[in-house]
Amino acid sequence: MPDSLINDPVNPAVNPVEPFLRSDRMPSIWCPGCGIGTTVNSFARALIDSKIDLQSLALVSGIGCTGRVAGYVKLDSFHTTHGRAIPFATGLKLANPKLNVIVYSGDGDLSAIGGNHLIHAARRNIDLKVICVNNLIYAMTGGQTAPTTPEHSTTSTNPYGVFEPAFNLPHLVEAAGAVYVARWTTFHVRQLTRSIGEAFQKKGFSFIEVISPCPTLYQRRNKMGDGLDAMKFYKEKSKVRNGAPTSEVGLTMTGEIVVGKFVDRERPDYQTLMRAQYAESLGERFVEQAEMVCS
Amino acid sequence: MKADPRGVLTGVHFMDGDHACCEGALAAGSRFAAGYPITPSTEVVERFASRVPTVGGTFIQMEDELAASITLQGAVWAGAKAFTVTSGPGFSLMMEHIGYAAMTETPCVFVDVQRGGPSTGLPTLPAQADMMQARWGSHGDYEIIALCPNSPQECFNLTIKAFNLAEEFRVPVMFMMDECVGHMTEKVVIPPADQIEVVPRRHTHKPVDEYLPYETNGDLVPEMAHAGEGYNFHITGLTHDERGYPNMTPQIQDKLVRRLQNKILQAADRIAMFEEEQLEGADVVVVSYGITSRVAQRAIEAARGRGLRVGKLRLITAWPFPDKKIRELAAKVKAFVVPELNLGQMVREVERAAAGQAKTFAVPHAGGGVHNPEDILKVIVEAGRCQTA
């Protein structure tokens, strides 16, 4: 879509991302200052910029605040069960390889209850684009500790402070095999848009972590202010280090937030390997999967 | 419509129940399975993994049963007919997604080759103790369909039926095998593809701007769209309205959940399948299913040899439970005898449906083997002596 539509000189009131949203479902359930809407804006702009065939897109979410993204985008969208967005998306992609399948979910959904699926999908290099909105907490259920909650912060289930170490998600998914790994914050909307666009171009398991504010629960309990304060915090603490070793990008409560594109590599995806193996082993007996629409 | 001949292994085979189930799935048009290894069911997916690349399709071994049971549903929404296969411990893990399939009306088949439980139980030995779990295992109110084969031939025939019912009613169908039936090898006749009836997807033909994912037109089962067709539809496990949008009101909850139940319950007579034998004039009717029906046959014949009037009712459809059939029989017979490889599951349904009109005798067995026919015979004799209720 041309820039002229994004910055419409005739009608500046037109929201260029509106065609990608189910406006009949607005307003959203997200709190004031929440960053999820910002990520959806970047996602929609990436769709505009990439000129991707919208009909080929399917978006899959799990459960939680970010899990509600599926309900707000005007695409084929699936709000699945807690933690299982990735295996559902795997089924969509394998049964119809022409689909561009996006998994859009939260840190707790993807890395705790869905953690096993996350690492195995990365290992298999299933051709999925995973957008992980990391608000450092279980927000939908009221602010409990997540695997990503930084040590020493306070949550409803660690009222005396979190003492268990947090996951460093970029490190985890790189180790498991992801071909594209990036992290941005909701302050970095242009960089995030560009990263999502790059992930669309990759064939394989791509993972974009977006650090996103939860003023209602994480920041309130930790006396970190509102949504605007979060933007100031991200601006102050973020350091762009493209290509940084992911082992060095772990998050702390008040320390540096390393952002950037950390991994961009080539590795054959699951379906490429599967077809090659069948062709080699079965020769002429191998039958390519036809379109499965059974009607 | 008729089966796609590419998936149909027409001929006479000597085949076990697990393999026959796989051939049934292929004949029914399934080209997608997701699984996780578990005894005594694994042979189904092993055969599928071997066969499916030669007929055009995908098998993926997932990291666990939680994943397998939702991966197959992703495949269904991309247009596939899909299934998964498991046994007790894996079936327990799949309950969440049986609920999701019921709520989202995703047509699919869950094969459970039952073994002894609870927990790890008896991995290599039979039981029929997942019957209530198949019906009630996921949370909330919903209905499913469950079928019980008692031979490798039925594993083939009824797997096709399971896929057909799943498509007709847009419901997860439980295919309740047991270790004996799964590992028993017998003659299996696979007919030519043009003799196999296959139910196609209830795929919508509506224009994009007229399509609502959960709109129904009288028959209670909505039409489906698939991802990638331009419908931009939304599917959720939340309570939803006809647009598929979440709606948290008691009114929408009532309307949705009642429809999910009624689409099955109102068709219960049509779904019900049994094998009947000498029910006319019977004093005692033995109600059984799966492998136990074959053990019971011997007891029934021995009882008839003693001059008792014994009928046989074999449940092929376990759920929805054939209340009407049991109620009608209860008005005519003295008693039901219900042998099963559990300590009392379907017998409660027989007793409930009989509603005191006839007595009900359980013949429980905790699993790990099959009944001794003598034990069933003793209860038949006892039941024959009882006074009409």
Side-chain angles (χ1 to χ4, degrees):
Chain A
M1 201 167 287
D3 286 349
S4 59
L5 188 52
I6 298 172
N7 301 305
D8 188 338
V10 181
N11 185 0
V14 169
N15 182 344
V17 305
E18 199 167 310
F20 301 93
L21 302 176
R22 299 186 209 271
S23 32
D24 54 346
R25 290 215 58 218
M26 297 298 155
S28 75
I29 60 156
W30 296 318
C31 302
C34 171
I36 299 170
T38 307
T39 72
V40 173
N41 199 322
S42 285
F43 171 69
R45 285 175 188 271
L47 296 184
I48 296 170
D49 294 347
S50 66
K51 303 180 176 64
I52 197 164
D53 173 18
L54 295 179
Q55 192 170 319
S56 75
L57 289 175
L59 189 144
V60 186
S61 290
I63 297 297
C65 292
T66 310
R68 294 303 185 95
V69 168
Y72 296 126
V73 292
K74 202 184 283 179
L75 300 169
D76 291 332
S77 57
F78 300 90
H79 183 225
T80 62
T81 50
H82 198 12
R84 320 296 170 214
I86 285 176
F88 187 97
T90 299
L92 274 175
K93 181 67 188 176
L94 297 186
N96 183 355
K98 288 180 189 160
L99 293 174
N100 287 297
V101 184
I102 298 132
V103 172
Y104 210 127
S105 213
D107 49 303
D109 185 76
L110 288 167
S111 77
I113 189 166
N116 201 28
H117 313 311
L118 177 71
I119 58 175
H120 285 281
R123 171 180 67 80
R124 295 185 185 106
N125 202 20
I126 306 279
D127 186 16
L128 302 175
K129 320 301 163 199
V130 180
I131 299 170
C132 174
V133 178
N134 182 359
N135 57 12
L136 309 175
I137 205 156
Y138 282 93
M140 181 71 91
T141 45
Q144 296 79 28
T145 304
T148 46
T149 311
E151 282 181 85
H152 312 303
S153 52
T154 301
T155 70
S156 68
T157 47
N158 279 117
Y160 309 112
V162 173
F163 49 83
E164 57 178 89
F167 260 149
N168 170 352
L169 294 179
H171 192 38
L172 178 71
V173 295
E174 183 191 11
V179 294
Y180 183 94
V181 182
R183 174 199 280 155
W184 300 103
T185 77
T186 53
F187 177 73
H188 301 88
V189 287
R190 288 182 182 277
Q191 294 92 328
L192 173 59
T193 302
R194 195 167 58 235
S195 263
I196 295 171
E198 284 180 2
F200 285 146
Q201 302 303 318
K202 294 291 290 187
K203 193 167 175 62
F205 191 85
S206 303
F207 185 87
I208 300 170
E209 181 185 24
V210 194
I211 310 300
S212 174
C214 176
T216 306
L217 295 160
Y218 181 74
Q219 286 162 241
R220 178 171 58 83
R221 279 215 175 82
N222 290 288
K223 301 185 171 42
M224 295 176 84
D226 61 13
L228 184 60
D229 291 316
M231 292 302 108
K232 289 175 184 164
F233 179 76
Y234 295 162
K235 182 173 185 233
E236 182 193 334
K237 299 288 184 182
S238 294
K239 182 152 276 179
V240 179
R241 281 177 66 200
N242 290 315
T246 55
S247 58
E248 298 172 9
V249 305
L251 297 170
T252 57
M253 192 178 165
T254 55
E256 189 176 80
I257 302 170
V258 180
V259 295
K261 179 169 75 176
F262 304 136
V263 177
D264 190 348
R265 59 185 171 182
E266 299 300 323
R267 205 159 71 83
D269 77 303
Y270 179 89
Q271 278 167 308
T272 303
L273 291 171
M274 181 180 80
R275 291 172 62 244
Q277 184 68 54
Y278 287 161
E280 184 190 328
S281 301
L282 292 167
E284 288 179 0
R285 290 176 57 222
F286 171 45
V287 175
E288 287 277 3
Q289 178 173 298
E291 293 219 4
M292 287 208 190
V293 178
C294 48
S295 59
Chain B
M1 65 188 252
K2 301 299 177 189
D4 175 354
R6 284 173 300 182
V8 182
L9 206 63
T10 302
V12 179
H13 306 270
F14 189 55
M15 191 181 274
D16 78 12
D18 280 353
H19 285 183
C21 170
C22 171
E23 291 303 330
L26 289 166
S30 177
R31 296 292 180 270
F32 192 98
Y36 186 81
I38 186 165
T39 305
S41 74
T42 315
E43 293 90 332
V44 183
V45 290
E46 284 175 341
R47 189 178 180 99
F48 196 83
S50 162
R51 287 265 286 135
V52 83
T54 68
V55 299
T58 295
F59 168 71
I60 183 167
Q61 182 175 317
M62 294 304 292
E63 51 273 15
D64 55 34
E65 288 91 345
L66 300 163
S69 57
I70 193 83
T71 300
L72 77 97
Q73 297 187 48
V76 170
W77 285 98
K81 288 189 175 181
F83 72 117
T84 191
V85 183
T86 192
S87 187
F91 200 48
S92 291
L93 291 181
M94 291 181 177
M95 288 300 131
E96 175 184 27
H97 294 135
I98 290 170
Y100 188 75
M103 187 59 144
T104 56
E105 299 179 72
T106 302
C108 55
V109 175
F110 289 79
V111 178
D112 177 14
V113 187
Q114 296 172 86
R115 68 192 220 185
S119 190
T120 312
L122 303 168
T124 61
L125 298 171
Q128 297 175 307
D130 305 350
M131 299 305 295
M132 284 291 168
Q133 186 184 24
R135 169 66 187 85
W136 301 104
S138 199
H139 54 280
D141 289 314
Y142 64 99
E143 289 283 336
I144 50 85
I145 295 170
L147 306 181
C148 297
N150 81 344
S151 66
Q153 181 69 56
E154 276 199 351
C155 287
F156 175 80
N157 297 356
L158 293 177
T159 299
I160 299 170
K161 185 74 182 173
F163 275 95
N164 286 349
L165 289 166
E167 295 296 338
E168 182 177 355
F169 293 99
R170 283 189 63 179
V171 70
V173 175
M174 308 299 123
F175 197 61
M176 304 303 288
M177 294 166 58
D178 54 66
E179 186 276 334
C180 287
V181 168
H183 284 164
M184 167 193 293
T185 300
E186 287 184 340
K187 183 166 106 171
V188 174
V189 180
I190 298 183
D194 62 8
Q195 291 174 25
I196 297 173
E197 204 58 45
V198 166
V199 174
R201 177 124 321 150
R202 284 176 177 263
H203 191 270
T204 189
H205 298 291
K206 285 185 180 165
V208 166
D209 54 0
E210 289 175 25
Y211 175 67
L212 294 176
Y214 291 103
E215 184 182 43
T216 53
N217 298 308
D219 71 351
L220 302 181
V221 185
E223 294 177 344
M224 262 182 101
H226 295 136
E229 296 174 336
Y231 283 92
N232 289 339
F233 61 90
H234 182 58
I235 299 303
T236 178
L238 288 165
T239 296
H240 46 269
D241 62 19
E242 291 181 340
R243 296 171 299 175
Y245 289 178
N247 185 310
M248 302 294 108
T249 63
Q251 293 77 20
I252 294 293
Q253 166 75 359
D254 186 82
K255 187 177 173 193
L256 173 62
V257 176
R258 284 186 194 277
R259 182 175 64 74
L260 294 180
Q261 293 217 324
N262 287 338
K263 71 176 178 179
I264 304 300
L265 294 178
Q266 290 180 8
D269 290 345
R270 192 151 55 83
I271 298 168
M273 293 181 286
F274 345 87
E275 183 191 339
E276 305 177 12
E277 195 181 279
Q278 297 186 30
L279 292 178
E280 204 59 46
D283 289 325
V284 175
V285 171
V286 177
V287 181
S288 62
Y289 55 95
I291 188 60
T292 307
S293 65
R294 297 177 68 156
V295 182
Q297 188 71 30
R298 185 159 170 164
I300 290 167
E301 285 167 13
R304 286 176 188 153
R306 295 185 183 192
L308 295 173
R309 289 185 297 179
V310 183
K312 175 174 96 172
L313 181 70
R314 176 166 73 92
L315 304 180
I316 297 172
T317 310
W319 304 111
F321 189 77
D323 280 36
K324 189 176 153 198
K325 185 75 182 176
I326 296 294
R327 198 166 54 239
E328 286 170 1
L329 285 172
K332 299 176 191 164
V333 305
K334 283 204 244 179
F336 293 103
V337 171
V338 188
E340 51 186 340
L341 292 180
N342 59 57
L343 298 187
Q345 296 195 14
M346 299 310 283
V347 66
R348 297 179 184 212
E349 290 298 296
V350 175
E351 192 167 17
R352 180 186 57 75
Q357 292 187 86
K359 289 194 173 169
T360 304
F361 293 80
V363 193
H365 185 306
V370 294
H371 289 79
N372 183 334
E374 282 295 320
D375 294 336
I376 302 173
L377 177 62
K378 276 183 215 157
V379 181
I380 295 173
V381 170
E382 183 190 344
R385 288 200 198 104
C386 77
Q387 299 302 309
T388 308

